[in-house]
Amino acid sequence: AQAILVQAWSGGAGDCALRRRAAAACVDVAGPVRCSRPGVRTSALSMAPAPPVHPSVQALKQQGDKSYEVRDYAGAIERYSEALEAAEDVVVLSNRSATYAQRRRFDKALADADRALKLKPAWPRLHHRRGFALFHSGKYGEAIASFEHGLRLDPADQPLQDALTKARRYVEPIPSAAPQRPRRAGAFSQKAPPAPAPAPAAPAAAPTAAAAPPAPAPRPTGPRTKYIVVHDKVVERKDPSTTATPVAIHVRNAKVEGVPCSVEGIPWLKLDSGWMLMDGKSVGLGQLLRQEVKSKADELREQGNTLFREQKFSKAIWAYTDAIEEDPRDARLYSNRAASQMGQLQVLYKAMPGPAVEDNSYFKEALGDIRKALEIDPGYVKAWARKGQLWLMADDKVQALAAYEEGLKVDPSSAECRAGRDACR
């Protein structure tokens, strides 16, 4: 998973940093808009007023706002989600988007912003919410477009102006640093070195200089491989040159895949859409990319996944068991082993009555694995869904419904849990 630079446009401490945070992550509460830090308000910032809240969800919204103010983001999400089950309210969606952003769940923050925009496309703050989530998901161009859209609706919106300025500054073309004056470790130069003076024109009688030889073609040095970004920010460029046009920016821990090449002795990675410098020594920096090395547990999990897809459930169970021995704290391994046990149960005992299913060893093992997965990660929605499926196999709709409801508390948008809940009713 890609690690997001949450601090990408927060440059300092004090009031300025608080105002930036308020501009990007405030919630819509009655009266002055409050952010997550007590005592900080954004009433001085020019923002369009929030639309009225549906009366049926006002109480739940206020409870969510209070949880947000004391940084109980899980509680705030739960209250906002309850409110949205009662009525589709644009302000509640906006607030939940902000809360998901505080929890660094920018995928969910974006989903709520998009959902809210379908209800109120002319509310500038929703374009700010959307842009914020896009920016921290690494989709910088889309984020800038969203901020610009919001400013077309309200050119005086100061938070949107600030966000757009910082986003543009972050993704502006980044030329290489001069080797004799490297920037501090962990940063690219933001200013190009001065251009060299043009060479004097040759006298008319001088012979014509020979044309410069073409640049050597990139030479592959290995097969297509996966790499991880180990620098704060690495630019992907159109061509293998530190002065070529930037096409994207990849942040620390992002995963990329391409063919390693040598260009005049400098290591570059050829991606499907551009080129990335692999080692920054030529521009005064250190290593930028490192090869992704799969753990033994990952290899065994992938082996189990393949066996599961081939419906070789017994062998999949053993593969996941070996993976668990390598990494006993990975909730996915227990959940996947439970799914394999459920597959085996369905194949061997398809016509078995519900009470007999509960006494079956595969059922008991699967239930134990699901409980272990949820003990490690209570927010693992897929494990909640599998728990519901397991109880349905035993014809216990009460237990199944309870599991699906728990999953929907974690992720109200889970299609699997919604379908399971509906099947139990």
Side-chain angles (χ1 to χ4, degrees):
Q2 177 170 311
I4 305 299
L5 289 177
V6 178
Q7 302 299 330
W9 63 54
S10 59
D15 184 64
C16 291
L18 294 179
R19 287 169 68 86
R20 277 193 293 271
R21 185 184 179 107
C26 57
V27 293
D28 313 298
V29 296
V33 179
R34 300 176 186 271
C35 74
S36 63
R37 298 192 180 184
V40 179
R41 303 188 180 196
T42 60
S43 55
L45 302 177
S46 173
M47 291 189 292
V53 178
H54 195 282
S56 65
V57 300
Q58 184 67 258
L60 284 169
K61 175 195 169 294
Q62 290 174 351
Q63 293 174 26
D65 295 343
K66 290 179 181 178
S67 296
Y68 185 100
E69 289 175 353
V70 297
R71 304 183 187 180
D72 177 14
Y73 301 128
I77 289 172
E78 187 172 349
R79 298 288 83 77
Y80 293 142
S81 299
E82 288 182 34
L84 290 169
E85 289 182 1
E88 188 87 339
D89 185 87
V90 65
V91 177
V92 176
L93 280 168
S94 175
N95 286 11
R96 193 172 70 173
S97 175
T99 312
Y100 275 132
Q102 291 285 7
R103 300 198 76 185
R104 309 298 184 254
R105 290 304 307 270
F106 298 111
D107 55 335
K108 293 182 180 294
L110 177 59
D112 275 354
D114 285 337
R115 187 172 161 189
L117 277 167
K118 292 179 181 179
L119 302 175
K120 192 80 173 177
W123 189 18
R125 190 175 305 166
L126 297 179
H127 295 280
H128 195 162
R129 294 271 193 258
R130 185 172 188 273
F132 185 85
L134 285 167
F135 184 91
H136 290 296
S137 299
K139 300 177 180 178
Y140 307 113
E142 293 180 57
I144 289 173
S146 189
F147 294 142
E148 290 174 338
H149 192 158
L151 283 171
R152 285 195 294 270
L153 297 171
D154 183 5
D157 191 307
Q158 189 62 47
L160 272 169
Q161 293 175 13
D162 293 344
L164 178 60
T165 299
K166 292 174 175 63
R168 283 176 172 169
R169 185 183 306 148
Y170 188 80
V171 300
E172 67 184 357
I174 305 171
S176 62
Q180 67 273 23
R181 297 181 61 190
R183 304 286 290 181
R184 62 177 176 81
F188 280 91
S189 172
Q190 295 293 324
K191 295 183 179 180
T208 304
R219 179 176 58 83
T221 57
R224 187 177 180 88
T225 309
K226 293 181 179 180
Y227 291 85
I228 297 175
V229 176
V230 294
H231 195 274
D232 289 341
K233 182 171 61 175
V234 181
V235 181
E236 178 183 342
R237 299 184 181 276
K238 184 178 180 180
D239 298 302
S241 168
T242 55
T243 58
T245 303
V247 296
I249 293 179
H250 300 266
V251 297
R252 185 184 295 275
N253 291 331
K255 294 184 179 181
V256 294
E257 184 174 349
V259 178
C261 297
S262 175
V263 181
E264 296 185 293
I266 298 176
W268 285 83
L269 184 67
K270 176 65 175 76
L271 307 176
D272 293 335
S273 55
W275 294 81
M276 290 177 70
L277 188 62
M278 300 178 66
D279 192 303
K281 291 179 181 177
S282 62
V283 291
L285 300 173
Q287 185 180 9
L288 306 179
L289 306 177
R290 67 170 172 81
Q291 186 173 340
E292 180 183 15
V293 179
K294 291 183 180 179
S295 68
K296 182 66 174 177
D298 286 335
E299 293 178 357
L300 289 167
R301 178 173 59 83
E302 291 184 3
Q303 179 183 337
N305 292 347
T306 300
L307 292 167
F308 180 87
R309 286 191 293 268
E310 295 172 352
Q311 297 189 4
K312 298 177 181 178
F313 301 121
S314 180
K315 291 183 178 180
I317 290 171
W318 283 110
Y320 292 130
T321 300
D322 290 342
I324 288 170
E325 291 181 1
E326 296 289 335
D327 186 1
R329 296 301 301 170
D330 189 337
R332 298 172 301 173
L333 301 177
Y334 295 96
S335 179
N336 289 5
R337 188 169 68 176
S340 300
Q341 290 157 343
M342 291 163 63
Q344 192 79 330
L345 179 63
Q346 193 169 25
V347 169
L348 298 177
Y349 307 102
K350 189 172 183 179
M352 184 181 292
V357 170
E358 288 190 45
D359 290 333
N360 187 276
S361 60
Y362 282 115
F363 178 93
K364 293 177 180 179
E365 292 290 337
L367 184 59
D369 275 349
I370 291 171
R371 286 171 174 166
K372 182 63 176 179
L374 291 171
E375 176 189 323
I376 296 171
D377 183 4
Y380 192 12
V381 178
K382 185 175 287 188
W384 287 113
R386 282 179 175 159
K387 188 174 184 180
Q389 294 165 4
L390 182 63
W391 281 114
L392 279 180
M393 292 175 70
D395 292 332
D396 192 334
K397 291 188 175 181
V398 174
Q399 294 273 22
L401 180 60
Y404 289 127
E405 293 286 5
E406 288 296 324
L408 287 170
K409 286 181 181 179
V410 176
D411 182 6
S413 64
S414 170
E416 201 170 7
C417 287
R418 284 182 178 273
R421 180 188 62 183
D422 295 342
C424 293
R425 290 178 173 175

